[in-house]
Amino acid sequence: MVKKVFSYILLALVMLFVYTPIFVLVLFSFTDTPAIGQWNGFSFDLYRKLFEDERIMKIVRDTVFLAGGCSILSTILGTLGSIGIFYSKKRTAKIMNAVNNIPVVNAEIVTALSLALLFAMVFTFFNKTMFSLVIGHIVITAPFVILSVMPRLKQMDPNVYEAALDLGASPAKALFTVVLPEILPGMLSGFMLSVTLSLDDYIVTAFTKPEMFNTISTYVYNAVKVPVHSALPGLRALSTLIFVVIVVIAVLMNVLKKKEVKSK
């Protein structure tokens, strides 16, 4: 009993340590003061100013479009890669899995520098363009789609695909009618993970983006470097909204996953 109580206390302390800064940020997004620590009464002024700021709204739209587009491409490429690895010979599959894990465990600064050098030396025409930015985001997100889809492929009955072929379905039709429906939850998980990684990324974005293009991460970093930056209070409201959206998505995904488990 004592051990159980101690474990609960330890868990509560860890959660408090992790989430207290976020709760402080959320709290001070409801007061119009230049810095956290000063309370000027409860208000929604920061949220109003945030939505009235056309520059920040454009950056938010650009970031969402970039994350959505790159995540769709990463999901397509990652799913095709997972299927290719799964149906390869064991030795080839092991090699490809090892190669896929390199961007996952590799330091992001190494990936960013490698991409910057590649585009500067080989693909000079595409250096610091939207093309290099999209490629950079796909490089860091597609491996996570493969990691999300691969377990679903391993859980799938391999005889179902063979049965579809025996019944006269073409390989393409069997893929779309048999394989993809089975691995769809993994594809959705990979897509959401890609969106989160793309929205959050700073290092690869900073090394590959066009000079006049900004995402939320690069804009926030540049604003924080200037202590008296006029946008800093509004960023508290923006960060709160991002946190709320992520929490809602996470809760919905968990609810859907529980419903899927119960239905089986």
Side-chain angles (χ1 to χ4, degrees):
M1 181 65 183
V2 175
K3 188 176 180 180
K4 190 174 182 180
V5 172
F6 178 76
S7 64
Y8 282 132
I9 294 174
L10 182 61
L11 177 62
L13 290 174
V14 171
M15 297 295 286
L16 186 66
F17 176 78
V18 171
Y19 286 103
T20 295
I22 298 177
F23 290 144
V24 171
L25 179 70
V26 172
L27 176 64
F28 279 92
S29 70
F30 294 102
T31 185
D32 189 7
T33 55
I36 290 179
Q38 302 172 2
W39 186 261
N40 194 28
F42 185 88
S43 72
F44 290 96
D45 287 346
L46 291 184
Y47 292 90
R48 178 181 56 79
K49 291 177 182 178
L50 173 67
F51 287 105
E52 290 177 351
D53 192 326
E54 286 297 327
R55 184 183 180 187
I56 294 182
M57 287 296 99
K58 182 181 182 304
I59 291 172
V60 171
R61 288 193 296 269
D62 290 344
T63 304
V64 172
F65 285 140
L66 174 66
C70 292
S71 298
I72 291 172
L73 293 173
S74 295
T75 303
I76 295 172
L77 294 174
T79 301
L80 293 175
S82 300
I83 294 172
I85 293 172
F86 182 73
Y87 286 105
S88 298
K89 295 180 180 179
K90 287 186 178 181
R91 185 176 180 182
T92 304
K94 286 183 179 180
I95 294 173
M96 295 305 297
N97 277 320
V99 171
N100 179 69
N101 288 333
I102 292 175
V104 176
V105 300
N106 194 24
E108 193 173 344
I109 184 64
V110 176
T111 302
L113 283 172
S114 301
L115 288 168
L117 289 173
L118 176 66
F119 283 106
M121 297 176 62
V122 182
F123 305 106
T124 53
F125 184 76
F126 297 106
N127 187 32
K128 295 282 186 175
T129 62
M130 288 303 299
F131 179 81
S132 62
L133 178 59
V134 170
I135 294 299
H137 277 235
I138 291 175
V139 167
I140 61 174
T141 56
F144 289 92
V145 176
I146 294 177
L147 292 177
S148 299
V149 173
M150 192 62 70
R152 286 286 177 175
L153 284 168
K154 291 179 179 178
Q155 294 171 9
M156 184 183 68
D157 185 355
N159 296 321
V160 176
Y161 177 74
E162 299 294 336
L165 295 178
D166 291 340
L167 291 172
S170 64
K173 187 174 182 180
L175 173 66
F176 283 100
T177 59
V178 176
V179 178
L180 291 185
E182 289 286 333
I183 64 174
L184 185 59
M187 293 171 60
L188 292 176
S189 297
F191 174 78
M192 293 308 304
L193 188 57
S194 297
V195 170
T196 304
L197 291 169
S198 182
L199 287 174
D200 182 59
D201 181 75
Y202 169 77
I203 299 176
V204 171
T205 303
F207 277 84
T208 57
K209 75 179 183 68
E211 185 175 351
M212 300 306 294
F213 183 86
N214 269 310
T215 62
I216 294 174
S217 59
T218 58
Y219 180 75
V220 170
Y221 178 79
N222 292 329
V224 170
K225 286 197 303 183
V226 182
V228 293
H229 199 288
S230 60
L232 279 177
L235 294 178
R236 301 203 298 264
L238 178 60
S239 300
T240 300
L241 291 175
I242 294 173
F243 174 70
V244 171
V245 170
I246 295 299
V247 169
V248 170
I249 292 174
V251 171
L252 288 176
M253 289 184 67
N254 284 327
V255 170
L256 292 174
K257 191 171 183 179
K258 286 183 179 180
K259 288 183 177 179
E260 180 191 350
V261 172
K262 288 181 179 179
S263 64
K264 290 184 178 180

